[in-house]
Amino acid sequence: MNNTALKIQVEKIKVSKIDQVDFDNLSFGSVFSDHMLVCDYKNGSWEAPKIVPYQPISLDPSAKIFHYGQSIFEGMKAYKDENDEIFLFRPLDNCRRLNISAKRMAMPELPEEFFMEGLTALLELDKDWIPRNAGSSLYIRPFMFASGTGFHASPANQYKFIIATAPSGSYFAGKVKVLIEEKYSRSANGGVGYAKAGGNYAGQFYPTQLAVEKGYNQVIWTDDNTHENIEEAGAMNIFVRIGDTLITGPTSDRILDGITRKSILEIAKDEGIATEVRKITVSELVEAAKKGTLKEMFGAGTAAVVSPIATFGYRDTDYDLPELENSYASRLKKRITDIQYNRAEDPFGWRFKV
Ligand SMILES: *Cc1c(COP(=O)(O)O)cnc(C)c1O
């Protein structure tokens, strides 16, 4: 895509770091591509985005990000097909969600063309950083934070929007063991759970550490009021298969509107799988596990795509899920990744060629 509407100044790196990277042994999000996109908000408007070498940023100690946590992000991926063509998956949805998050955190919304044109210009420049290996992709991290200064507890008057990218292998290996959390909450009615706000993650770390100490990998969040409904799996949306019906909770103030979640729902319908979007109670889950009708549970999100759950713990009991051949999780993961990597038709119009 070459759109000349927006002038993006480019400062290229002097010597590329790409030769230092072992593309056959990539972990997730720990090496960074040569360039990043930076855009500053000052005096009530966004300045033109620039592409510069990936580098540290200098901030005043009173920058409001440090004190009041105005910080939001997105997570997306760029995929390369066999012919080295580059694709994004529903990128406008990430752009729109960034602005939903911005609004909730009293931060300025970013014009869509800054996001889309900035991102495509960055990907064109760093296209050699997009891995070709199966399961690998270029993880893209757009984020915005308060760079404006002052100890006064009020929204900042300056912000930075950055897009940084990291060639990455697949996120999780193997099935996870999760604990249904009844004391701590990730989000609350009227809160910021539906925004991709950095602080939501900070708040998850401690309860997750406690679960890890008990031998689990992740926490299943329940609603903050009754703790009777399961809501998300760590930082992923959660799906449950009872009998042959695939169920996920409705999005709300507390449940993030995941792009993977809504895509999986549409793919499942297209595959003729019965789906339900409704509350899932813990007691329903336990009962189904006891009866043997609970066939699958999995998390869904951009990073891991689909992350199958092997066991869930509730109060002092662990419930194992069966090992299924041709599970919904594996079928749906294949369908969505085949679309993302341009290995299959895209009847939904989700693929975006860069
Ligand atoms: C990002 C995120 C998801 C997944 O969203 P995707 O758009 O599918 O990547 C789910 N839950 C939470 C809390 C998240 O932050």
Side-chain angles (χ1 to χ4, degrees):
M1 198 181 81
N2 271 311
N3 196 323
T4 49
L6 194 66
K7 188 110 191 72
I8 300 174
Q9 201 186 307
V10 179
E11 182 201 332
K12 282 193 189 165
I13 197 165
K14 293 206 172 69
V15 183
S16 172
K17 301 170 295 178
I18 200 160
D19 294 339
Q20 299 165 24
V21 178
D22 177 2
F23 279 83
D24 293 326
N25 292 291
L26 290 169
S27 59
F28 186 86
S30 50
V31 292
F32 306 99
S33 314
D34 281 336
H35 300 92
M36 62 183 190
L37 181 97
V38 182
C39 192
D40 283 301
Y41 181 90
K42 283 179 189 157
N43 304 316
S45 65
W46 287 101
E47 297 181 344
K50 285 179 280 193
I51 291 176
V52 296
Y54 184 89
Q55 62 193 283
I57 26 187
S58 164
L59 289 170
D60 191 278
S62 79
K64 298 207 182 198
I65 167 65
F66 298 131
H67 308 275
Y68 306 119
Q70 278 183 298
S71 173
I72 57 172
F73 68 96
E74 273 301 320
M76 50 204 299
K77 286 173 172 173
Y79 311 88
K80 209 174 242 180
D81 75 1
E82 279 185 340
N83 303 315
D84 285 352
E85 307 240 55
I86 301 161
F87 299 92
L88 294 165
F89 185 72
R90 311 184 78 173
L92 260 179
D93 291 24
N94 293 96
C95 174
R96 290 180 182 142
R97 191 171 63 191
L98 179 86
N99 283 335
I100 290 170
S101 300
K103 192 166 185 186
R104 180 62 182 85
M105 305 307 282
M107 297 164 81
E109 291 175 41
L110 185 79
E112 269 178 16
E113 66 273 17
F114 280 40
F115 186 99
M116 292 303 298
E117 290 175 31
L119 176 57
T120 48
L122 182 67
L123 291 176
E124 277 166 12
L125 185 62
D126 278 344
K127 61 178 181 292
D128 292 343
W129 287 84
I130 307 171
R132 257 183 224 95
N133 306 9
S136 298
S137 57
L138 187 74
Y139 186 74
I140 301 166
R141 173 51 61 86
F143 60 106
M144 191 199 294
F145 60 89
S147 52
T149 58
F151 290 145
H152 189 266
S154 56
N157 60 2
Q158 292 186 9
Y159 295 86
K160 253 185 206 304
F161 172 71
I162 295 179
I163 304 179
T165 68
S168 296
S170 50
Y171 193 78
F172 277 130
K175 289 195 168 185
V176 295
K177 191 174 166 184
V178 298
L179 178 65
I180 295 181
E181 177 61 55
E182 291 189 285
K183 175 177 160 75
Y184 298 99
S185 300
R186 191 192 78 86
S187 59
N189 283 325
V192 299
Y194 68 91
K196 276 187 106 71
N200 285 341
Y201 284 71
Q204 286 186 218
F205 292 158
Y206 176 63
T208 305
Q209 278 174 354
L210 296 180
V212 168
E213 280 167 21
K214 291 182 193 156
Y216 297 91
N217 306 100
Q218 255 314 335
V219 159
I220 299 290
W221 300 105
T222 53
D223 69 284
D224 62 303
N225 188 23
T226 65
H227 294 293
E228 279 169 10
N229 305 299
I230 62 162
E231 301 215 311
E232 295 215 50
M236 287 188 281
N237 293 111
I238 190 160
F239 283 85
V240 165
R241 174 182 175 185
I242 297 179
D244 286 329
T245 305
L246 187 66
I247 314 163
T248 191
T251 54
S252 66
D253 276 5
R254 305 180 308 273
I255 299 184
L256 192 123
D257 186 5
I259 295 163
T260 316
R261 173 189 171 280
K262 66 183 181 187
S263 304
I264 280 185
L265 273 176
E266 282 196 55
I267 292 174
K269 283 179 202 159
D270 189 62
E271 295 261 307
I273 293 171
T275 59
E276 286 176 13
V277 176
R278 60 160 174 85
K279 288 182 177 174
I280 307 162
T281 64
V282 179
S283 46
E284 173 183 18
L285 210 59
V286 169
E287 231 166 85
K290 284 180 180 163
K291 275 199 302 201
T293 53
L294 180 65
K295 294 194 183 160
E296 295 181 52
M297 287 173 73
F298 58 86
T302 296
V305 191
V306 165
S307 176
I309 292 168
T311 301
F312 77 88
Y314 177 58
R315 298 196 173 156
D316 290 317
T317 310
D318 280 350
Y319 299 86
D320 291 326
L321 282 108
E323 282 281 340
L324 294 186
E325 270 182 41
N326 203 22
S327 64
Y328 285 178
S330 60
R331 269 170 72 186
L332 295 166
K333 180 173 183 172
K334 182 170 187 317
R335 265 300 291 281
I336 195 169
T337 52
D338 280 351
I339 293 173
Q340 290 167 336
Y341 286 88
N342 193 30
R343 293 187 297 244
E345 254 182 81
D346 173 19
F348 311 98
W350 291 334
R351 208 159 43 214
F352 177 96
K353 192 168 180 302
V354 177

